Amino acid sequence: SKRISRSVQRGMVATPPTDAEKRALAAMEAEVAFKDSGMQIRKQADQMMSGGRPFPLSMVVGQDAIKQALLLSTVNNRMGGVVISGRKGTAKSVMARALHQLLPPIEVIKGSPFNIDPAGEFGIDDFLRADLDNGGVPLSERETEVIQAPFVQVPLNVMEDRLIGSADLEESVKTGKSVFSPGLLAKAHRGVLYVDDINLLDEETANILLNVVTEGKVVVEREGISLTYPCRP
């Protein structure tokens, strides 16, 4: 009895927690886990709303015909694109960005500003064609890289030189010859080209986009530059 009393006085004896204490501890742990998960969900939602993380296509309620058309266009890019008509709030931009997330990475010739396929399946640009004609390294032997499929949005006030490309004046002065600076259409090749409110584009820009969709290429004739490059978004 003396030993027990001494141990109790020194704090050496610990009683096991009761059932009520166990339930209280479990409730506290569950509350902490719930708060953590809630914060993670809110963070993901904020990313989706801010454009940092696109909303999944499968989470868009309804719009089955549009979603099917978008998926078919990814399977066969020769469809010529999809025109979505709807008032504000019909998830047009959301579905376009969600579709982009479903696209697999693409393999391109390293350093190509036109996303040229190593096999040349979708066509090649005039710069590369001239290099091959002059005895350059064959496509099959060139170094390649894998990149994410591009997503390019065309702004309403876009200028022609920004859309199709133009001469880089600074580099042209340095080198003494015309240097081409690719535009938005060059970057959109083999990816997604998104045009919001296409009916508000000026006639010249709309015609350029329609020609690209129809022919699958861009022809540049300006500022001493004559160039053709593929564009099959």
Side-chain angles (χ1 to χ4, degrees):
S1 61
K2 292 181 179 179
R3 292 180 180 176
I4 294 176
S5 63
R6 289 175 182 172
S7 298
V8 172
Q9 291 175 358
R10 295 177 183 176
M12 298 286 293
V13 176
T15 59
T18 63
D19 292 340
E21 291 174 339
K22 290 181 180 179
R23 290 194 297 270
L25 181 61
M28 292 175 61
E29 293 176 349
E31 183 179 0
V32 172
F34 178 77
K35 289 182 178 179
D36 291 342
S37 62
M39 291 177 62
Q40 184 66 22
I41 292 174
R42 286 194 296 272
K43 183 178 179 181
Q44 294 176 355
D46 292 341
Q47 290 177 339
M48 291 178 184
M49 295 300 293
S50 63
R53 179 183 177 189
F55 201 77
L57 188 63
S58 59
M59 293 183 66
V60 176
V61 179
Q63 311 289 15
D64 293 334
I66 298 176
K67 289 189 285 187
Q68 183 179 21
L70 290 172
L71 292 173
L72 290 174
S73 68
T74 62
V75 176
N76 181 10
N77 65 348
R78 299 182 187 277
M79 285 179 53
V82 177
V83 177
I84 304 175
S85 176
R87 56 188 177 184
K88 189 174 183 179
T90 52
K92 299 186 294 295
S93 299
V94 170
M95 287 188 285
R97 295 185 181 279
L99 179 73
H100 173 241
Q101 295 300 305
L102 299 178
L103 296 179
I106 60 175
E107 185 179 12
V108 301
I109 294 178
K110 189 172 183 178
S112 171
F114 305 101
N115 298 334
I116 300 300
D117 181 76
E121 179 181 356
F122 303 96
I124 61 176
D125 57 275
D126 283 352
F127 294 136
L128 182 56
R129 181 176 289 105
D131 184 54
L132 293 173
D133 292 341
N134 292 330
V137 180
L139 291 180
S140 59
E141 299 178 9
R142 294 182 181 242
E143 186 177 359
T144 64
E145 60 182 338
V146 177
I147 63 173
Q148 184 180 15
F151 181 94
V152 176
Q153 181 170 355
V154 178
L156 292 177
N157 58 347
V158 65
M159 303 297 291
E160 182 181 354
D161 57 350
R162 175 66 177 136
L163 187 63
I164 67 175
S166 62
D168 188 326
L169 298 180
E170 183 177 352
E171 290 298 323
S172 298
V173 171
K174 289 180 180 179
T175 59
K177 59 181 180 180
S178 297
V179 177
F180 181 70
S181 177
L184 295 175
L185 294 178
K187 299 176 182 178
H189 182 47
R190 301 174 64 195
V192 175
L193 179 65
Y194 178 62
V195 185
D196 197 7
D197 296 326
I198 190 172
N199 57 305
L200 300 180
L201 290 175
D202 62 82
E203 183 177 355
E204 183 179 4
T205 302
N207 288 335
I208 292 175
L209 293 175
L210 289 175
N211 289 334
V212 169
V213 171
T214 303
E215 301 177 5
K217 63 181 180 180
V218 179
V219 179
V220 182
E221 296 283 352
R222 55 183 303 162
E223 300 168 348
I225 295 177
S226 178
L227 168 69
T228 300
Y229 61 84
C231 180
R232 293 186 180 275

